[in-house]
Amino acid sequence: MMKKKIPASLLLGSATAATQVEGGDVNVNWYDWSLKGKVGRGESSLTGADHYARFREDTEMMAELGHQCYRMGVEWSRIEPERGVWSPEGMAHYRSELELIRARGIVPMVTLHHFSCPRWFQEAGGWMSREAVGLFLRFCGKIVEELGDLVCDWCTINEPNVFANDSYMDGKYPPGHEGDMLSYFKVSRRMVIAHLRAYKLIHKIRREKNFPGETMVGYAQHLAFFVSPGKGLFCRLGKGLMERLFHKIYLKGMIEGKLIFPLGAGYPEGKGIFCDYLGVNYYSRHIITPTVSPARLFGTVGFDPDLPKEKLTDLGWEIYPEGLAGVITPLWEKYALPVYITENGLADSSDEKRAAFIRDHLAVVLRLMEEGVDIRRYYYWSLMDNLEWNDGYGPRFGLVEIDYDTMERRPRPSALYYRALCRERLL
Ligand code: IFM
């Protein structure tokens, strides 16, 4: 078969998040969560992949692997370990890391909130606190003032829907509330407002300081491709409710600035468009079975039990590349904003499925681009194995394998396959 050219406008790279790879931070809320035994098999966020100490080696490795863009997090607790106390060492660390990334010709994206926060923020009520938005914005402002000359691509908040659900409905993330629907909505509303204000703030600082390059601000929306098991009224209602509460309240809020029920009403920051790109985190297709239960907001979300093993990741998620088109197309038709695929990947410890997974998802990306969709970034999740939050270090998402006994990095065969795509630009 004739290979297709990967357009130069699409940068290929990878993503990580600070808490998942850095290790060694005793001021982050996930350290306390680990101490409470809430991370799989008693594991700890202290381990990470030792990336904080090894960022130089890791950046060289990423460059060797041909990546053109890299999405990384800055850990709030390393910058502001105590309320109002800023760490020059923390800031200097990220400056060195970003300088090295750029020196290797890799385009960085910085995520400002990726599921974690400083201990003091969590103890003050986290996102349930009235002060949350202001405190987060103060941190954002500090980062952009000090690192904004090195970064054009910004992601304000990663997956607010997953964060709110796992922290306040499923109880898997701190503070571990279960079935706390009111908090789910309250925190979601705060995150929408935080994004809208951060969007304006990042633009303002970069403009006033005359920082070079085009400022691109967005957030990463986890978009599941939802299907219903039937066409009946309850099935349609279940899917509609799920679409609204897991996707639409955030999309409307964070892109259009519009609060819709049950988050509220109106435009708290005025009418406008508050994203310069559509950030899409896509992993799988989910079947919505309508159920009514106070603990589960949305009914039961599951996978087809008859799927063969080849179609499943190590976490039992269905591999369904066509769902990427299913989630991107309606957004592109509605907003026509550049698309950044901020995450796409799988847990696959044997590495038997990863190369085909990337190939098949990128084939969908190229088809969409031929149809006119302006897709500019593809960040594979993840550069290396890491802490899969409450699931610990078991799931292996990395292009690069981490040996947790020695912290040795070993690029998997799929990393070499991806390197060839990045370099030869042919699929
Ligand atoms: O590891 C996570 C990441 O932090 C957010 N998106 C989904 C990934 C895989 O579960």
Side-chain angles (χ1 to χ4, degrees):
M1 252 223 331
M2 266 276 283
K3 292 201 169 185
K4 275 193 185 173
K5 201 160 172 27
I6 300 174
S9 57
L10 173 68
L11 303 189
L12 302 178
S14 61
T16 59
T19 316
Q20 292 179 270
V21 292
E22 286 182 350
D25 183 6
V26 292
N27 296 313
V28 70
N29 64 335
W30 272 85
Y31 175 54
D32 295 338
W33 200 235
S34 320
L35 290 178
K36 287 185 180 150
K38 302 284 192 180
V39 172
R41 299 180 301 271
E43 290 168 343
S44 168
S45 67
L46 267 195
T47 312
D50 200 26
H51 174 68
Y52 199 75
R54 295 171 194 242
F55 77 89
R56 289 191 179 79
E57 178 192 335
D58 289 343
T59 307
E60 297 301 342
M61 179 179 71
M62 191 167 40
E64 287 267 302
L65 290 175
H67 296 195
Q68 300 168 305
C69 55
Y70 177 51
R71 176 178 167 225
M72 58 174 267
V74 287
E75 190 71 90
W76 184 356
S77 50
R78 291 199 188 268
I79 299 294
E80 193 179 1
E82 286 171 50
R83 185 174 174 150
V85 177
W86 304 101
S87 161
E89 297 79 27
M91 199 63 93
H93 170 92
Y94 290 116
R95 173 158 281 277
S96 310
E97 182 167 357
L98 285 163
E99 280 173 352
L100 189 57
I101 289 166
R102 287 167 54 104
R104 291 292 169 270
I106 298 166
V107 176
M109 167 185 275
V110 164
T111 306
L112 293 159
H113 188 280
H114 194 129
F115 295 171
S116 58
C117 65
R119 171 185 302 111
W120 62 263
F121 181 83
Q122 185 74 60
E123 285 176 351
W127 285 90
M128 288 296 287
S129 158
R130 278 167 186 268
E131 292 182 296
V133 175
L135 291 168
F136 176 63
L137 285 171
R138 192 174 64 169
F139 159 69
C140 294
K142 186 84 176 165
I143 292 290
V144 183
E145 296 262 347
E146 298 211 16
L147 303 176
D149 55 323
L150 301 173
V151 184
C152 293
D153 290 348
W154 297 89
C155 172
T156 57
I157 298 180
N158 180 71
E159 297 181 348
N161 51 351
V162 173
F163 174 77
N165 181 66
D166 288 11
S167 308
Y168 295 96
M169 292 301 295
D170 282 358
K172 296 191 284 193
Y173 298 179
H177 293 198
E178 286 181 42
D180 184 357
M181 204 181 292
L182 284 180
S183 299
Y184 176 88
F185 294 136
K186 197 176 224 178
V187 163
S188 299
R189 181 192 161 96
R190 291 224 161 99
M191 288 196 141
V192 167
I193 290 170
H195 165 78
L196 299 176
R197 294 189 186 158
Y199 176 88
K200 290 185 185 170
L201 181 67
I202 297 168
H203 273 283
K204 179 170 177 286
I205 296 173
R206 290 199 87 249
R207 194 175 49 241
E208 283 176 0
K209 293 210 153 215
N210 250 327
F211 286 153
E214 188 187 3
T215 308
M216 296 291 280
V217 185
Y219 78 105
Q221 171 75 37
H222 187 106
L223 288 167
F225 184 59
F226 290 131
V227 289
S228 31
K231 290 198 166 55
L233 179 64
F234 280 110
C235 286
R236 280 185 284 128
L237 279 177
K239 180 168 172 285
L241 187 66
M242 188 71 190
E243 288 282 5
R244 185 178 186 93
L245 298 182
F246 204 61
H247 293 157
K248 206 168 164 192
I249 54 175
Y250 304 96
L251 294 166
K252 279 273 176 200
M254 291 165 119
I255 301 174
E256 296 178 43
K258 184 175 185 187
L259 291 176
I260 58 169
F261 181 80
L263 296 197
Y267 296 86
E269 294 297 310
K271 285 190 180 172
I273 290 292
F274 295 84
C275 283
D276 303 311
Y277 64 85
L278 299 167
V280 173
N281 287 7
Y282 172 73
Y283 286 87
S284 193
R285 166 164 79 165
H286 300 261
I287 299 170
I288 310 302
T289 313
T291 53
V292 181
S293 142
R296 288 211 158 256
L297 191 47
F298 315 114
T300 304
V301 183
F303 298 100
D304 177 351
D306 298 326
L307 284 171
K309 264 182 79 182
E310 311 82 74
K311 292 249 180 217
L312 299 176
T313 74
D314 291 350
L315 285 171
W317 304 354
E318 180 184 3
I319 300 173
Y320 189 69
E322 207 43 49
L324 187 55
V327 297
I328 289 177
T329 305
L331 285 184
W332 168 255
E333 284 172 354
K334 190 165 170 57
Y335 297 111
L337 288 167
V339 176
Y340 286 11
I341 298 168
T342 33
E343 285 180 29
N344 176 234
L346 82 167
D348 177 22
S349 60
S350 66
D351 201 45
E352 280 166 9
K353 298 172 187 162
R354 189 170 284 105
F357 179 100
I358 294 173
R359 180 198 64 208
D360 295 346
H361 283 80
L362 278 179
V364 172
V365 170
L366 295 196
R367 194 188 78 220
L368 291 173
M369 291 179 80
E370 281 162 15
E371 290 165 11
V373 184
D374 180 12
I375 306 182
R376 300 193 189 171
R377 304 275 189 278
Y378 176 85
Y379 299 92
Y380 176 79
W381 182 271
S382 176
L383 171 63
M384 61 186 106
D385 291 338
N386 58 56
L387 174 75
E388 180 57 8
W389 305 108
N390 57 295
D391 282 332
Y393 297 93
R396 300 291 189 136
F397 278 88
L399 290 164
V400 175
E401 180 187 355
I402 300 291
D403 178 331
Y404 287 106
D405 292 329
T406 61
M407 286 296 168
E408 196 192 326
R409 276 83 172 120
R410 293 188 208 112
R412 296 191 160 104
S414 58
L416 306 183
Y417 167 79
Y418 192 49
R419 177 175 69 183
L421 293 185
C422 295
R423 286 190 177 163
E424 290 159 22
R425 312 284 305 171
L426 289 173
L427 184 74

